[in-house]
């Protein structure tokens, strides 16, 4: 269910905000997630201490592909959408967590 807000929730493909973070311990990968990733696990995820996370590159999850085409808005594409970690399933579009990261990003943008 989508939450009503002053600003409508964007389409995920036009947003990608929740796939970005400066932290390298952002997208937690549990044992079941690692198994589901299969051959992609070693490429896209790694252990930090005794916990596994998605690798980050250029400030976003390594599985995110930002498709840019001249004259068009970028498209934020999860390349492992069907196999994404459970934490990404939990952060659904319009969920309180989604609204919170959008608000955080809006505040950061206002501060710059
Ligand atoms: S879940 Fe929310 S923050 Fe994440 S991409 Fe979709 S609209 Fe953006
Ligand atoms: S696995 Fe996909 S949905 Fe989850 S943070 Fe990475 S790119 Fe975003």
């Amino acid at each position: 269910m989508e939450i009503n807000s002053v600003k409508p929730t964007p389409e995920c493909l036009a947003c990608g905000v929740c796939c970005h973070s400066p932290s390298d311990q952002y997208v937690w990968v549990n044992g079941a997630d690692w198994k589901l990733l299969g051959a992609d696990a070693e490429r896209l995820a790694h252990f930090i201490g005794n916990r596994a996370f998605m690798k980050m590159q250029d400030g976003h999850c390594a599985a995110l592909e930002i498709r840019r085409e001249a004259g068009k808005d970028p498209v934020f594409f999860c390349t492992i959408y069907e196999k994404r970690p459970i934490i990404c399933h939990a952060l659904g579009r319009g969920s309180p967590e989604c609204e919170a990261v959008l608000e955080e990003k809006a505040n950061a943008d206002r501060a710059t």
Side-chain angles (χ1 to χ4, degrees):
M1 182 167 55
E2 203 165 316
I3 290 173
N4 287 329
S5 58
V6 178
K7 206 171 170 198
T9 307
E11 293 296 331
C12 291
L13 287 171
C15 176
V17 167
C18 61
C19 306
H20 284 74
S21 174
S23 170
D24 61 353
Q25 298 183 29
Y26 182 57
V27 187
W28 177 50
V29 176
N30 69 20
D33 296 330
W34 187 282
K35 258 191 206 152
L36 189 62
L37 280 169
D40 289 323
E42 296 284 350
R43 182 173 64 88
L44 293 172
H46 60 169
F47 274 81
I48 299 176
N50 59 1
R51 294 188 77 185
F53 298 88
M54 293 298 287
K55 292 177 184 172
M56 302 296 284
Q57 65 184 33
D58 303 327
H60 60 74
C61 171
L64 183 73
E65 188 181 307
I66 305 176
R67 297 178 176 173
R68 300 182 195 277
E69 224 181 296
K72 292 188 180 170
D73 290 332
V75 175
F76 299 88
F77 188 82
C78 176
T79 56
I80 53 158
Y81 190 74
E82 300 299 332
K83 302 189 288 184
R84 67 198 188 285
I86 190 77
I87 196 167
C88 304
H89 284 268
L91 203 157
R93 178 173 175 263
S95 67
E97 293 82 2
C98 160
E99 296 292 325
V101 292
L102 290 175
E103 181 64 24
E104 203 179 297
K105 167 86 171 33
N107 289 337
D109 288 350
R110 275 195 286 273
T112 55

